[in-house]
Amino acid sequence: MNGATPLKDPLDLLDLPSTLTDEEREIQATVAKFLADRVRPHIGEWFENAHFARELAPELGKLGVLGMHLDGYGCAGTNAVSYGLACLELEAADSGFRSFVSVQGSLSMYSIWKWGSEEQKQEWLPRLAAGEAIGCFGLTEPDFGSNPSGMRTRAVRDGADWILNGSKMWITNGGIADVATVWAQTEDGVRGFLVPRGTPGFTTQDIKQKMSLRASITSELYFDDVRLPDSARLPHAQGLRGPLSCLNEARFGILFGAVGAARDSIQSAIAYADSRVQFDKPISAFQLTQKKLADMSVSVGNAALLAVHLGRLKDQGRIRPEQISVGKLNNVREAIAIARECRTVLGANGISLEYSPLRHANNLESVLTYEGTSEMHTLVVGQAITGYPAFR
């Protein structure tokens, strides 16, 4: 052995930190330190036991990552790149925690912040930002995922109130949420409603036997003649523009988060390859292993640069939906391929929860599908290129 020092962070290969401001690097390091102390020592056990550590919600609130890219109401008001870097570190620990923060901040809180009344904002946003309350976002239904315009959940007027009936599926945080943002068909098009837990007729059921996102709560929501006052309606949202704007916020966090899962997988593979000795030398000294590590490091570096570029566009107010689709499509696709390849570097040990790549690969199977499947993002990009909406 020649005493070489392996690269600890594959993102250093292209000097990604040099593209960030001091404040952005500090935020990223602070989130990483929290996760190293409070999540990483336990995540294998939590994943195995399908446990979400709800008690960490107030700690995440104190850390400032819940709705961190929003202004006012107890939110940190950071730039988009800082939010993305926080998502990168969260998903490097586990996709379940990035999902929790994404749903809390970019779906639940953003829907209220963007489309809610001042009273709704004052009631919910400070509590959600502090992690004292948990939110979820009900759009997907059992038969309507990629085609939300076909949703069957319906709200009809009854005097001054609304009566809500229907169901939602695959809802992160649903079983523990204190308030659900629920999208429903009305005579005036799709509208959003805030449904607090405990409202008569509103029930949830957690989805069990998952092989992915096990350290996260995923639920079904049921609405059986749920009576809501008109003050529960998000007054400024009408049509699919409301929920789709929220999804773009969440997708932005995902394209950074996927980089985190890939980076963590590569770090695990590099450390293992340097310590695993075969034929009297570490396997990191073999050509095939180095090819794997080199290809993956180039790929994750490109994905990270794409994420930061899109973050800069978002901070300038110039990002377009199809650009977010490019980011999610590319970065999740690359991340899942990297996680799977890293598992091969670890050999049989790669199936153990002692190592992260296969856990990341399993989680990324969900990330590949939610907030828009890879197929739908492909067609969004295709429409941007050709002008033809092939999914209609």
Side-chain angles (χ1 to χ4, degrees):
M1 290 186 283
N2 62 8
T5 302
L7 195 67
K8 293 188 181 298
D9 187 345
L11 298 183
D12 288 341
L13 186 66
L14 297 180
D15 197 14
L16 181 75
S18 70
T19 68
L20 308 176
T21 67
D22 290 342
E23 182 180 8
E24 289 163 352
R25 286 193 292 268
E26 182 179 355
I27 289 172
Q28 182 178 9
T30 300
V31 175
K33 175 65 166 57
F34 171 84
L35 295 164
D37 293 341
R38 301 293 289 122
V39 174
R40 287 184 178 274
H42 313 289
I43 190 59
E45 177 185 355
W46 291 342
F47 185 91
E48 183 173 26
N49 295 327
H51 171 72
F52 174 70
R54 181 179 181 173
E55 66 274 12
L56 292 183
E59 296 184 44
L60 290 167
K62 186 176 180 181
L63 188 65
V65 299
L66 302 180
M68 63 184 287
H69 57 309
L70 305 180
D71 292 315
Y73 307 98
C75 303
T78 66
N79 69 354
V81 172
S82 294
Y83 169 59
L85 292 168
C87 288
L88 186 155
E89 294 300 336
L90 286 158
E91 193 140 2
D94 190 78
S95 298
F97 280 88
R98 199 268 311 139
S99 292
F100 172 79
V101 169
S102 286
V103 169
Q104 182 88 343
S106 291
L107 294 181
S108 173
M109 293 176 67
Y110 183 81
S111 66
I112 300 170
W113 183 85
K114 179 71 173 178
W115 305 112
S117 67
E118 184 61 29
E119 292 75 18
Q120 290 168 337
K121 296 175 186 179
Q122 294 286 354
E123 178 181 4
W124 287 110
L125 290 180
R127 295 169 57 197
L128 292 165
E132 296 171 0
I134 292 175
C136 70
F137 185 88
L139 178 63
T140 299
E141 297 185 358
D143 297 318
F144 295 95
S146 297
N147 178 26
S149 63
M151 72 175 73
R152 294 194 180 110
T153 298
R154 187 163 183 84
V156 297
R157 283 279 196 178
D158 184 37
D161 295 338
W162 295 85
I163 305 298
L164 181 66
N165 282 283
S167 64
K168 300 294 180 179
M169 185 77 166
W170 304 114
I171 308 302
T172 298
N173 301 348
I176 57 172
D178 298 287
V179 62
T181 298
V182 181
W183 301 92
Q185 296 279 12
T186 75
E187 61 182 10
D188 297 321
V190 173
R191 307 301 293 256
F193 298 86
L194 299 183
V195 185
R197 177 166 295 279
T199 302
F202 172 36
T203 57
T204 66
Q205 180 174 323
D206 291 345
I207 298 171
K208 305 292 186 181
Q209 297 181 313
K210 296 186 298 179
M211 296 180 69
S212 179
L213 289 180
R214 292 181 56 78
S216 174
I217 291 175
T218 313
S219 311
E220 298 178 72
L221 312 182
Y222 300 100
F223 311 97
D224 184 10
D225 287 336
V226 175
R227 180 174 290 273
L228 299 168
D230 191 53
S231 60
R233 177 176 53 87
L234 296 175
H236 304 300
Q238 185 170 5
L240 283 174
R241 178 168 172 257
L244 294 183
S245 69
C246 303
L247 291 176
N248 271 334
E249 292 293 311
R251 290 164 182 159
F252 174 78
I254 288 172
L255 65 91
F256 271 88
V259 173
R263 185 202 68 187
D264 189 71
S265 296
I266 298 172
Q267 287 176 312
S268 180
I270 291 173
Y272 183 85
D274 191 53
S275 64
R276 175 67 167 170
V277 175
Q278 291 288 283
F279 303 103
D280 302 320
K281 62 181 179 181
I283 63 172
S284 58
F286 289 100
Q287 291 181 5
L288 287 178
T289 302
Q290 288 193 6
K291 182 183 188 308
K292 291 179 180 181
L293 296 175
D295 287 346
M296 293 187 295
S297 295
V298 169
S299 178
V300 77
N302 290 340
L305 291 173
L306 172 59
V308 172
H309 171 65
L310 293 177
R312 299 294 182 217
L313 290 179
K314 193 172 192 303
D315 280 324
Q316 295 165 14
R318 298 196 295 122
I319 198 165
R320 303 192 303 271
E322 66 267 23
Q323 293 171 326
I324 294 177
S325 288
V326 169
K328 182 180 186 291
L329 176 65
N330 180 80
N331 289 7
V332 177
R333 182 169 59 193
E334 295 303 308
I336 197 168
I338 286 170
R340 291 167 177 163
E341 187 79 300
C342 286
R343 206 289 304 163
T344 71
V345 175
L346 273 64
N349 284 316
I351 71 167
S352 168
L353 280 173
E354 182 181 352
Y355 302 95
S356 66
L358 190 57
R359 172 169 55 81
H360 285 308
N362 279 16
N363 285 336
L364 287 165
E365 290 289 351
S366 291
V367 181
L368 191 69
T369 297
Y370 70 26
E371 316 295 1
T373 65
S374 59
E375 292 85 356
M376 290 303 296
H377 287 295
T378 297
L379 296 180
V380 169
V381 175
Q383 180 180 1
I385 294 169
T386 68
Y388 293 103
F391 48 83
R392 293 177 184 168

